[in-house]
Amino acid sequence: MRTRTLLARSAVTMLFASAAIIGMTSPASAATCSGSSCDGKDPGAYCQSDARTVQSLKLGQALLELRYSSSCRAAWARISNASFDTRSQFTPYATVHRNSDGRQYSCSVSATGSSCYTLMVNDANVTSYARGMWDSGANIYEGRTGSY
């Protein structure tokens, strides 16, 4: 039994060593993407470390933001402070829209939440904008940021 355990451990060690030699990442490594390989990916998993807000807009009490990561060359939209009453208000949302081809991703705020963010669009050598909506119960606020 001990020989099998040692052989299994040796095989796992060799597998990770081989992966490192050929440039694969281990399960503990941070995921990366850049440009077109970021399309449709979660910014929280890939590009959050250097993210910044490049455009923003108030929608009543809610804040709509166009977020951008220079290392990933990707953009996404986020809406925050957008709580709502499911019985009397429309569900707040945010959308990121790439100008060059119209690719877009949207998110909706959950009934128990107050924010959401979209998946990413490639923003390398193109521009994108965010649009969104928040319903205060008395007014519906809709708008879009400038392009970046």
Side-chain angles (χ1 to χ4, degrees), residues 8 24 37 106 111 114 144:
M24 295 174 62
S37 70
S106 296
S114 63
R144 65 166 270 183

Side-chain angles (χ1 to χ4, degrees), residues 33-128:
C33 66
S34 182
S36 62
S37 70
C38 291
D39 262 347
K41 291 190 175 163
D42 180 350
Y46 290 87
C47 303
Q48 194 63 31
S49 64
D50 71 337
R52 61 191 172 96
T53 299
V54 292
Q55 297 279 329
S56 65
L57 175 69
K58 290 291 277 183
L59 300 173
Q61 75 176 24
L63 178 64
L64 176 67
E65 298 169 277
L66 179 63
R67 306 275 292 159
Y68 178 76
S69 164
S70 58
S71 64
C72 291
R73 300 183 72 186
W76 62 95
R78 177 171 70 184
I79 191 167
S80 57
N81 201 28
S83 57
F84 67 107
D85 183 340
T86 59
R87 296 167 299 179
S88 60
Q89 294 168 281
F90 292 110
T91 303
Y93 70 87
T95 300
V96 64
H97 180 95
R98 185 169 53 219
N99 289 311
S100 62
D101 64 359
R103 164 84 59 149
Q104 62 184 25
Y105 295 103
S106 296
C107 69
S108 297
V109 175
S110 73
T112 58
S114 63
S115 65
C116 70
Y117 61 87
T118 68
L119 298 176
M120 297 184 289
V121 293
N122 166 24
D123 201 50
N125 302 316
V126 295
T127 60
S128 301

